Amino acid sequence: QVQLVESGGRLVQAGSSLTLSCTASGRAFGNYFLAWFRQAPGKDREFVAGITPKPNSVYAESVKGRFTISRDYAKNMVSLLMPSLKPEDTAVYYCAARDDGVIRTTPGDYFYWGQGTQVTVSS
């Protein structure tokens, strides 16, 4: 059925780069709005970045100018390029999707979620 699977998270030192990927299966996601959220220990899940079908991108202020989101229509995949990582970027990163293609930044507005991938940035 419909499934989202994240990959790419690992332990890295501050200043390093990571690229996270999320592959969707079960149906075509070309008309979906795709997003990345993250949740740090003791914190609420927060919006990081999203990309529309067109595609146009939107970012949280905390990562704007640093992270880059992209999508591959043929592979049903969305990626997040994360250069210059900081300890405060440490979190479980989740991908999510909306089938109406509309931009939303609240976790409760999403039905489809991956299981998450752990990113840990050491000082």
Side-chain angles (χ1 to χ4, degrees):
Q1 205 177 3
V2 175
Q3 189 175 20
L4 303 176
V5 180
E6 304 96 335
S7 64
R10 62 181 186 270
L11 171 65
V12 297
Q13 294 181 327
S16 299
S17 298
L18 283 175
T19 299
L20 305 182
S21 297
C22 173
T23 301
S25 62
R27 65 182 66 176
F29 280 75
N31 296 129
Y32 282 54
F33 178 73
L34 304 175
W36 288 96
F37 289 78
R38 67 186 181 186
Q39 189 164 21
K43 303 291 185 179
D44 293 330
R45 189 170 299 187
E46 65 174 357
F47 176 81
V48 178
I51 187 164
T52 70
K54 194 163 185 177
N56 291 317
S57 301
V58 60
Y59 299 92
E61 288 299 319
S62 60
V63 305
K64 191 176 182 66
R66 187 161 62 99
F67 290 3
T68 302
I69 189 171
S70 62
R71 67 191 298 165
D72 186 320
Y73 298 94
K75 296 181 178 180
N76 256 6
M77 187 171 67
V78 60
S79 298
L80 186 68
L81 175 62
M82 305 188 298
S84 304
L85 284 164
K86 308 172 182 179
E88 52 263 44
D89 293 319
T90 295
V92 177
Y93 284 72
Y94 300 88
C95 65
R98 285 184 58 85
D99 58 5
D100 63 359
V102 174
I103 298 171
R104 293 288 186 269
T105 59
T106 301
D109 289 330
Y110 288 80
F111 182 77
Y112 299 110
W113 291 91
Q115 293 299 306
T117 185
Q118 177 71 52
V119 173
T120 304
V121 185
S122 63
S123 301

